[in-house]
Amino acid sequence: MDPHLLRTFVTVARLSSFSGAARELGYTQSAVSQHIAALEGDLRTELLTRRPVEPTPAGARLLEHAGPLLLRLDAARADVLRLAAAPPGRITLAASPLAVGPGLLAALPATGVTLRVLPPAEVPAAVATGDCDLGFVDGPAAPSDPLRLPDVAPLVVTGVAEEELAVLLPAGHPLAGRDALRLEDLADARWLDAPGVAPLPGAVRTAPALRYEGTDLRALCALAAAGHGLALLPGRVARTAGAGVAVPLCSPRLVHRTELLAPATLSGAAAALAVRLGAGSPYGP
């Protein structure tokens, strides 16, 4: 299966438009139509309806495979280019919002680094494809257990911090006076859905109270404090929100874990920064 044809198919499906895909990819509309026809001929099935432009059942199934396949190809390209010793420049560090804590900020050098804040789900791909040299990602996990990350490419993953989790509630919430909370007791509560900062806990059964698509921690905490929904956050963040009440989570036994992601091939200033940030031995002293 030709990856160029696959990339064209994914773009057409995402935009629901042959002409839109042609503009984005720099092809003529005729070339895009030929790509789709060639892919459909190779697979011997229709992948897209034309009016409206939508994936067929076979096309929807192909889309499930296409994203990881194309990402893996981009990761392979980035890995080879790293090995070819690209010219030195600024180091780009991707970090999810909750991973940007005091420890990371204190370890950063004064110059030579660009810090790019991304939603947690985007950090592994940014490192794998070479868009960023290193990455910090976070999430809830059992103590000492690694985070469940997408298999985008061989990455060196190192745990650098674990801390308690707390539920941020408005001051007048009936549970605000508790010493600790169990997540199972809050399964039917209304939670904020903030995929760019703090995704919904897995045990939640109710529809989100509000969806927040930003990455500003202060805005998220303000929404929770104002009663728009609960948020599960690192204790240090919840306690310094400036409003609301932070109650530690006691069950299930989870921690907020932060991990450093680095490509399997790394050298020079990026390798030195990885060691400084906590990668340790894979790149030497």
Side-chain angles (χ1 to χ4, degrees), residues 37-38 54 57 68 107 116 152 168 170 174 178 181 191 199 202 215 236-237 239 266:
E54 293 179 347
R116 184 179 299 167
V152 293
L168 184 60
R178 295 277 189 92
L181 289 171
W191 290 79
T215 58
R236 62 176 168 81
V237 175
R239 286 191 296 271
L266 196 63

Side-chain angles (χ1 to χ4, degrees), residues 5 8 18 28-40 50:
L5 304 184
T8 300
F18 281 70
T28 64
Q29 186 169 337
S30 174
V32 169
S33 297
Q34 291 172 11
H35 283 192
I36 299 302
L39 187 60
E40 290 178 330
R50 274 28 179 200

Side-chain angles (χ1 to χ4, degrees), residues 22 40-41 49 63 79 87 90 112 118 141-142 152 176 181 215 220 223 226 242 271 285:
E40 290 178 330
T49 60
L63 282 173
D79 208 28
R90 292 187 65 86
L118 299 174
V152 293
L181 289 171
T215 58
L220 176 67
L223 287 168

Side-chain angles (χ1 to χ4, degrees), residues 89-93 109 111-115 132-134 267-274:
R90 292 187 65 86
I91 299 168
T92 302
L93 173 65
T111 60
V113 175
T114 297
L115 178 62
C132 296
D133 300 291
L134 300 167
S267 60
L273 180 59

Side-chain angles (χ1 to χ4, degrees), residues 104-252:
L104 168 61
L105 297 177
L108 290 178
T111 60
V113 175
T114 297
L115 178 62
R116 184 179 299 167
V117 178
L118 299 174
E122 297 180 14
V123 174
V127 177
T129 58
D131 286 343
C132 296
D133 300 291
L134 300 167
F136 265 88
V137 68
D138 71 281
S144 301
D145 277 4
L147 297 174
R148 294 182 179 180
L149 301 175
D151 182 19
V152 293
L155 296 175
V156 178
V157 182
T158 305
V160 296
E162 289 186 355
E163 57 183 307
E164 71 168 0
L165 283 162
V167 180
L168 184 60
L169 313 99
H173 194 280
L175 301 178
R178 295 277 189 92
D179 293 329
L181 289 171
R182 300 184 306 170
L183 197 55
E184 59 201 68
D185 294 336
L186 299 169
D188 294 318
R190 303 290 282 181
W191 290 79
L192 289 167
D193 182 15
V197 184
L200 285 168
V204 173
R205 294 191 291 259
T206 55
L210 183 147
R211 182 177 175 88
Y212 173 62
E213 296 187 349
T215 58
D216 188 329
L217 283 176
R218 290 176 299 180
L220 176 67
C221 292
L223 287 168
H228 292 290
L230 309 184
L232 185 63
L233 299 167
R236 62 176 168 81
V237 175
R239 286 191 296 271
T240 58
V245 177
V247 182
L249 182 72
C250 63
S251 176

